[in-house]
Amino acid sequence: MLSKTSVRPLKSVVFVVVALFLLATASAGECSSRVVHVFVALADNQHQGIVPVPAALGNGSDPQRNLYWGAAFGVKTFFKASDEWQVLSCSRRPKSAILERCVFKNRTEDVFLVADAYRGSEIKLAVTDFLSAAAGAKSEKVNAGDVAIAAGGAADLVAYIGHDALMDFQIPPIAGVKGNKPRLAIILACASKAFFSPYLRLTGAEPLLWTTGLMAPEAYTLKAALNGWIANESDEAIRHRAAQAYDKYQKCGARAALRLFATN
């Protein structure tokens, strides 16, 4: 029979073992992988200053057929069809302005991609949320099955896809959060280097890929750039990958495509 004095140390040992078990369990659910968070502003003929596209493609409230999401070269459709990426989850309206969120996992590398489809009329919020994430702010946990993915300002790479809304309006500058890890940014929108440069500089994020002129911000360019980033290629090699992909689908010529893209 155990004495009262011997029970107390035993309780302490049990408490420590349980605490370590819970800590290990929590750590197992945390995602320490590289994370990409993509902010997609759905094309919207009515609420954006874009050259009008067919009505089905330009309905900013219909992600399933939208030019930048559910169409053949939209982010959701293109990555879902890729042999290199696996869909982990797609959920409707995780937030009021986000009509759908999809989470992908690279099949060969420990990389996750979180993609958010913003209602076309919420393009200002999409740009603001992108720049906030670039600044290291608004970190969030995105659950995909039993994995918790560090997204938003905690992501390693953030990307914006859509109309260059800064051609139409300005937003308050967003300063980077001190002490956070360096972040990279991809901005696939018309002339994004000229319009996003002062904003991105203030966030402290580094531009991995952005554009110098008018372009179609479709998913093949993003995927090509991510392939280079995942392979730890140089910024210039990633730029060439993006240009090659763009020329393949747009038939604009290799030189013209390379001039369209810039890096840090």
Side-chain angles (χ1 to χ4, degrees), residues 51-66:
V51 176
V53 297
L57 300 177
N59 182 347
S61 297
D62 180 11
Q64 302 313 315
R65 295 188 293 174
N66 195 268

Side-chain angles (χ1 to χ4, degrees), residues 89-130:
S89 67
C90 282
S91 57
R92 298 289 181 90
R93 302 196 177 187
K95 299 179 181 179
S96 59
I98 300 174
L99 299 181
E100 189 170 23
R101 166 176 284 170
C102 289
V103 180
F104 300 86
K105 170 73 169 63
N106 190 273
R107 292 185 182 275
T108 57
E109 300 293 336
D110 197 14
V111 177
F112 289 87
L113 186 153
V114 177
D116 287 337
Y118 281 73
R119 189 187 305 274
S121 60
E122 297 284 0
I123 188 170
K124 190 171 187 177
L125 180 60
V127 172
T128 301
D129 285 353
F130 160 73

Side-chain angles (χ1 to χ4, degrees), residues 34 37 55 73 105 110 119 133 140 155 158 166 187 195 230 236:
R34 287 197 286 175
H37 195 153
F73 301 132
K105 170 73 169 63
D110 197 14
R119 189 187 305 274
E140 63 174 309
V158 294
L166 297 179
I187 310 174
F195 286 88
I230 290 171
E236 190 61 25

Side-chain angles (χ1 to χ4, degrees), residues 49-51 68 160-167 187-196 210-217 246 260:
I50 63 175
V51 176
Y68 300 146
Y160 172 77
I161 306 290
H163 170 57
D164 189 340
L166 297 179
M167 292 179 172
I187 310 174
L188 298 182
C190 292
S192 58
K193 181 178 180 180
F195 286 88
F196 276 82
W210 48 9
T211 65
T212 60
L214 302 180
M215 59 95 64
Y246 195 80
L260 178 60

Side-chain angles (χ1 to χ4, degrees), residues 149-220:
I149 301 166
D156 301 280
L157 170 62
V158 294
Y160 172 77
I161 306 290
H163 170 57
D164 189 340
L166 297 179
M167 292 179 172
D168 304 328
F169 56 74
Q170 296 181 335
I171 64 171
I174 302 172
V177 177
K178 293 182 179 180
N180 275 24
K181 62 183 178 182
R183 290 164 303 283
L184 295 174
I186 291 175
I187 310 174
L188 298 182
C190 292
S192 58
K193 181 178 180 180
F195 286 88
F196 276 82
S197 181
Y199 290 94
L200 193 66
R201 186 181 301 115
L202 190 59
T203 69
E206 296 183 5
L208 178 62
L209 187 72
W210 48 9
T211 65
T212 60
L214 302 180
M215 59 95 64
E218 294 178 321
Y220 42 79

